[in-house]
Amino acid sequence: MILSKIKQLILAMNYLTLKIVIFSALKYKRLMKLLKHNYLLLLALLISCNSNTILESGLESVSESIESKYAPDKRVAIYAIDIDSSEDKILLFGETDSKVAYKKLIDSIKSVSVDFVSKVRILPDTAVGNNIYAIARNSVINIRSAPKHAAELGTQGLLGMPLKVLDKKGDFYRVQTPDNYISWVDKGGITTMNQGEFESWNTAEKIIFTKNFGYVYSAKNDTSEIVSDITLGGILKYIDEDRFYYTVAFPDKRTGFVKKEEAQKYSIWLTNNSATQENVAKTALSMTGFPYLWGGTSAKGVDCSGFTKMVYFMNGYIIPRDASQQIHAGKIVDKKLNFSNLQKGDLLFFGKKATDTKKQRVTHVGIWLGNDNQEYIHASGNVHISSMDENNPLYDPFNKNRYLGSRRYLGIKDKMIIDLKK
């Protein structure tokens, strides 16, 4: 009934009035929702007015609706499509990694018989060819927000990390990590592979490095030349072993030797890995003193969410990259914000609370240690223990005053929490 009245009203108006009414009305939530979920009707109405300017604006609204559904978080999905008009045609430019979202846009345009030309890139494309996968070849790779060395560090990858390759610009590749984070890495940090090579690497036996720091040696003694350093969580291909050393291979075919006391066969490590409250706390405490590094997720430096991510990875789970993503995973605990129901391993979130005009903003995360002293461990300056108890010498009034709540990951089934055993 409401849509029918809207249609009658719009069709009765001239082009200029139509443009003003539609985009003024979109400020009102109810009409916005109606048009957003009935964008084919909106397109049909716009086309009936025979105005390229209005049609272009209407298509942009349709595209924004598709983006909000298929790529709401630009950190883990790409949808950057621009719409222009030229004479009697609509022109599409940009890029996306979602074939589904692109098809939705094209189908919407075709359904109302609009002539268009698309120059949208569906990633990955010919820029990377058949090598649409990669493996990290250095102990730690720096993955940046833009294809240049001066760009902000977005995240890091560990030796042996599998990556999807989406794009290439100069000496940089746009890659997607196992937690779906999308950013740029320089070519020196990775070995690109086609599907066959990637599957061969993935199915091969591996070793995982379980100490904080170490080396891969060129011979079976620790006085030999160093092939590479290696850090906690680094993974290499297993070749052979003797009493003291694993023989390993890098994704770029280099070979070397790792002390057995510092690593395990990946399959055995994963089978024996038990993500209990105690083990999560133990892993977290083993990283005490790690330096803070914005964008860091390795023993060489961690930010707050990079720290929690590393702790859970070493307990067999891949979790979202950023604190603002991690707060949407797992089960809500401590609704009263008094710390009474928390268990070891729960994630505590901090930031700015919601107001009447602003949404909640998550800026920090830590791991509850579950003792009588209300202690938690987090990366701020470095990895260290703080407390919510004002009688504790480690009391942290700053974070207590901006505490937003907690989430439990252990024992919770959630598509955002990937169990490596499965």
Side-chain angles (χ1 to χ4, degrees):
M1 183 66 178
I2 295 175
L3 285 175
S4 177
K5 289 183 178 180
I6 293 172
K7 182 176 180 179
Q8 291 173 11
L9 176 63
I10 293 177
L11 291 176
M13 295 179 177
N14 61 45
Y15 303 153
L16 181 59
T17 306
L18 173 63
K19 183 176 180 180
I20 294 172
V21 168
I22 287 179
F23 294 100
S24 295
L26 285 176
K27 294 180 181 179
Y28 296 94
K29 291 184 178 179
R30 190 178 182 192
L31 187 54
M32 167 76 93
K33 185 175 181 180
L34 286 170
L35 293 178
K36 182 177 179 181
H37 294 288
N38 292 276
Y39 48 78
L40 293 183
L41 170 60
L42 176 59
L43 278 178
L45 296 176
L46 292 168
I47 291 167
S48 70
C49 296
N50 195 28
S51 168
N52 276 357
T53 302
I54 300 175
L55 176 57
E56 182 184 326
S57 298
L59 284 171
E60 287 173 352
S61 294
V62 171
S63 185
E64 288 171 5
S65 174
I66 293 171
E67 180 181 6
S68 68
K69 180 177 180 180
Y70 292 98
D73 187 342
K74 291 180 174 58
R75 292 168 293 185
V76 297
I78 301 169
Y79 185 95
I81 297 179
D82 296 322
I83 299 173
D84 200 356
S85 59
S86 175
E87 297 179 352
D88 59 343
K89 289 185 179 180
I90 293 295
L91 306 178
L92 306 177
F93 303 91
E95 59 193 16
T96 179
D97 68 333
S98 174
K99 293 181 179 179
V100 175
Y102 177 70
K103 185 176 185 300
K104 196 75 173 179
L105 177 61
I106 296 303
D107 287 348
S108 299
I109 298 173
K110 286 181 177 179
S111 68
V112 287
S113 303
V114 178
D115 290 332
F116 69 95
V117 175
S118 176
K119 295 184 179 180
V120 175
R121 298 176 62 204
I122 312 299
L123 305 177
D125 60 8
T126 54
V128 299
N130 292 326
N131 288 355
I132 59 174
Y133 299 100
I135 303 294
R137 64 184 292 271
N138 291 337
S139 62
V140 177
I141 60 172
N142 295 319
I143 305 176
R144 302 186 179 278
S145 59
K148 53 185 180 180
H149 289 289
E152 179 184 63
L153 184 64
T155 191
Q156 292 180 319
L158 301 176
L159 179 62
M161 175 182 280
L163 305 161
K164 294 180 182 178
V165 178
L166 301 176
D167 198 4
K168 185 178 186 295
K169 287 185 180 180
D171 289 338
F172 281 80
Y173 287 88
R174 183 186 277 182
V175 296
Q176 187 168 36
T177 58
D179 56 19
N180 294 320
Y181 212 83
I182 299 174
S183 284
W184 296 85
V185 63
D186 70 278
K187 66 179 183 180
I190 61 174
T191 297
T192 60
M193 298 179 175
N194 59 37
Q195 185 169 346
E197 293 167 334
F198 184 72
E199 289 177 354
S200 177
W201 172 271
N202 277 343
T203 55
E205 178 69 274
K206 310 286 197 316
I207 64 103
I208 182 169
F209 197 75
T210 54
K211 299 297 181 182
N212 288 345
F213 304 97
Y215 298 99
V216 181
Y217 298 98
S218 59
K220 294 180 180 181
N221 64 76
D222 58 13
T223 61
S224 64
E225 183 179 350
I226 293 171
V227 178
S228 170
D229 68 325
I230 187 169
T231 62
L232 182 68
I235 293 173
L236 288 168
K237 184 178 179 180
Y238 169 87
I239 301 298
D240 199 0
E241 65 182 290
D242 63 15
R243 184 178 175 184
F244 298 108
Y245 284 88
Y246 289 116
T247 306
V248 296
F250 290 75
D252 57 5
K253 310 300 184 183
R254 287 176 294 165
T255 58
F257 303 91
V258 174
K259 290 181 179 180
K260 292 184 72 173
E261 65 188 27
E262 298 177 345
Q264 293 183 43
K265 279 189 175 181
Y266 181 82
S267 57
I268 296 174
W269 170 82
L270 191 59
T271 299
N272 294 335
N273 202 321
S274 178
T276 63
Q277 295 178 28
E278 293 296 333
N279 285 342
V280 169
K282 181 179 178 181
T283 302
L285 289 169
S286 73
M287 299 182 192
T288 300
F290 278 21
Y292 183 90
L293 175 66
W294 178 272
T297 62
S298 72
K300 295 185 177 183
V302 290
D303 59 22
C304 62
S305 56
F307 167 62
T308 57
K309 178 177 172 58
M310 271 296 297
V311 169
Y312 269 87
F313 175 69
M314 293 309 297
N315 281 274
Y317 289 94
I318 294 174
I319 67 173
R321 170 62 184 91
D322 293 340
S324 58
Q325 297 167 317
Q326 292 175 2
I327 197 171
H328 297 296
K331 175 185 176 182
I332 296 175
V333 290
D334 195 25
K335 291 183 179 180
K336 295 182 179 180
L337 305 182
N338 60 9
F339 314 107
S340 61
N341 297 318
L342 295 183
Q343 298 176 2
K344 286 184 180 180
D346 289 345
L347 298 188
L348 287 73
F349 296 93
F350 309 88
K352 294 183 179 180
K353 297 180 180 180
T355 66
D356 293 338
T357 57
K358 293 183 180 180
K359 294 181 179 179
Q360 173 179 277
R361 185 165 177 257
V362 180
T363 59
H364 192 58
V365 62
I367 299 176
W368 190 249
L369 294 178
N371 53 38
D372 294 335
N373 295 320
Q374 293 191 331
E375 292 178 344
Y376 70 101
I377 186 168
H378 59 135
S380 179
N382 60 15
V383 175
H384 63 275
I385 298 172
S386 295
S387 173
M388 292 302 179
D389 182 357
E390 61 185 15
N391 296 314
N392 190 311
L394 302 176
Y395 179 52
D396 185 357
F398 173 70
N399 278 320
K400 186 172 184 178
N401 290 332
R402 62 179 192 145
Y403 177 55
L404 301 175
S406 296
R407 291 272 181 159
R408 181 164 299 150
Y409 282 12
L410 296 179
I412 305 299
K413 291 184 178 180
D414 189 314
K415 64 180 180 180
M416 296 178 70
I417 302 172
I418 301 171
D419 186 344
L420 289 172
K421 291 182 179 180
K422 299 178 180 179

